[in-house]
Amino acid sequence: MSNLNIGPDSKVIDGKAFAESLRERVANKVKMIKADHGLIPGLAVVLVGEDPASQIYVRNKGQAAEKAGIRAKDYRLSKSSSEENLLSLVSELNADPLIHGILVQLPLPRQIDPSTIIGAIDPVKDVDGFHEINTGRLSIGKITGSNHAMIPCTPLGCRMLLESRLGDLAGLEAVVLGRSNIVGKPMAQLLINASCTVTVAHSKTKDLKKICRRADILVAAVGRPKMVQFDWIKPGATVIDVGINRIPASTNENPNKTELVGDVDFESVIDIVGGITPVPGGVGPITIACLLANTVVAACSQNGFEIPNWN
Ligand code: GUN
């Protein structure tokens, strides 16, 4: 990993290069598993409905899996599918020995309760790490060894990236902006596990700016375009921008033209940060690489193979 341009010399952290390197390691592991055991890790990606953004995410996940040598299978259910329908698909996939990872793309249509679906996925196939068994294991720090947690992909990628850039994170002040189940909460757990001093801030936090200014590591995951400004940043801090916000393009006269921005005002903070992930090209590609890594981990766990270490 050390030959990548993501070291302390470059302020802009190259998420694409990091993701590519992780995808390569995953692909190599997939080859080894096939050669040694004749097993191909299998990932089921389930999409209910036709949400355009979800369709793109799901397609990208499937393509990335195939590229890494993972057998990806797509399952499409109509927007009006019932919860029972989806539960019966999940139960089929739980029982399928060729499927090691199950991902049900969120959000789901209104008639389906996401927690019921997530709770029905076999925890060892839960490559999203959203099942209560996995969130519970993560919260007690059971992230390696037998019966370890499957860890949600975005925070897992953020921790890998931070460790590759900063080394040991112990003792660092980390502020996580956002408390979602998908990013904020698991991110905080992972940083606690890495012996950081962790503060979780959110929309009701008093004086967000002051709290963020003490962060050596700031992870922004609130879904508010360009919310974090230069005066929220401790000089030299490492900033991980998880936000993906679509806003009207600033440099175009066409009112229909949009652009993607993060939760951090990149231009405003670039001079003061030690490092920052851009949007796009930062955390996004790493999340998909971590999904592939989790699928391989799941396949190894289910077959009693040694769990890979991606460092
Ligand atoms: N929708 C947005 N992010 C995610 C994710 O990480 N996993 C799933 N399953 N759905 C999502």
Side-chain angles (χ1 to χ4, degrees):
M1 248 184 292
S2 50
N3 58 343
L4 291 174
N5 184 25
I6 52 168
D9 299 347
S10 167
K11 273 200 177 192
V12 183
I13 304 173
D14 188 343
K16 272 193 202 158
F18 186 84
E20 212 172 289
S21 147
L22 178 56
R23 285 212 313 260
E24 234 174 78
R25 281 171 278 151
V26 171
N28 285 337
K29 187 69 195 175
V30 170
K31 270 190 206 139
M32 277 170 58
I33 293 172
K34 194 174 172 196
D36 295 349
H37 307 283
L39 183 111
I40 301 175
L43 172 67
V45 181
V46 182
L47 175 62
V48 186
E50 286 103 40
D51 177 66
S54 292
Q55 281 178 331
I56 295 171
Y57 289 138
V58 162
R59 195 187 60 216
N60 290 345
K61 287 169 184 173
Q63 283 174 353
E66 292 286 349
K67 257 188 163 169
I70 291 168
R71 188 184 283 134
K73 258 185 114 171
D74 259 10
Y75 296 83
R76 303 285 170 114
L77 269 57
S78 79
K79 196 168 73 181
S80 57
S81 289
S82 65
E83 194 170 277
E84 289 69 34
N85 252 326
L86 182 53
L87 281 172
S88 115
L89 173 59
V90 167
S91 143
E92 256 174 56
L93 296 171
N94 281 342
D96 187 339
L98 299 180
I99 297 291
H100 306 98
I102 303 171
L103 180 144
V104 178
Q105 185 66 27
L106 303 176
L108 289 165
R110 266 172 203 212
Q111 71 276 16
I112 302 179
D113 176 6
S115 67
T116 303
I117 302 303
I118 291 164
I121 297 172
D122 184 339
V124 294
K125 295 192 176 188
D126 171 33
V127 282
D128 263 326
F130 294 164
H131 191 288
E132 287 168 17
I133 292 275
N134 286 316
T135 57
R137 284 175 179 165
L138 174 58
S139 79
I140 59 167
K142 203 162 175 32
I143 61 175
T144 55
S146 60
N147 297 324
H148 64 90
M150 294 298 301
I151 301 168
C153 302
T154 300
L156 175 61
C158 294
R159 175 165 163 181
M160 284 182 182
L161 189 62
L162 284 165
E163 282 178 334
S164 97
R165 191 170 172 92
L166 301 174
D168 187 7
L169 306 181
L172 294 179
E173 281 274 354
V175 174
V176 179
L177 199 45
R179 53 177 160 173
S180 71
N181 290 334
I182 293 182
V183 183
K185 285 179 199 159
M187 187 75 251
Q189 299 286 3
L190 283 173
L191 290 167
I192 291 170
N193 186 267
S195 300
C196 292
T197 303
V198 182
T199 305
V200 180
H202 46 77
S203 55
K204 297 284 191 298
T205 299
K206 287 184 188 132
D207 207 346
L208 269 177
K209 192 195 294 189
K210 186 172 146 211
I211 302 275
C212 289
R213 268 187 82 92
R214 67 173 186 232
D216 300 308
I217 294 170
L218 177 63
V219 181
V222 270
R224 297 268 219 99
K226 300 189 182 187
M227 180 178 180
V228 177
Q229 296 290 320
F230 77 97
D231 55 348
W232 294 40
I233 307 287
K234 175 179 180 177
T238 302
V239 178
I240 306 291
D241 191 351
V242 181
I244 303 178
N245 309 289
R246 194 163 279 288
I247 60 165
S250 52
T251 53
N252 201 292
E253 276 133 41
N254 177 354
N256 297 322
K257 187 103 175 150
T258 60
E259 64 179 333
L260 281 184
V261 298
D263 292 345
V264 180
D265 188 346
F266 187 90
E267 278 79 26
S268 150
V269 307
I270 188 68
D271 288 338
I272 193 167
V273 297
I276 180 168
T277 57
V279 178
V283 172
I286 301 170
T287 295
I288 294 193
C290 283
L291 170 67
L292 309 181
N294 272 355
T295 304
V296 173
V297 165
C300 290
S301 296
Q302 284 157 56
N303 288 280
F305 308 156
E306 199 185 330
I307 305 298
N309 176 352
W310 303 113
N311 295 327

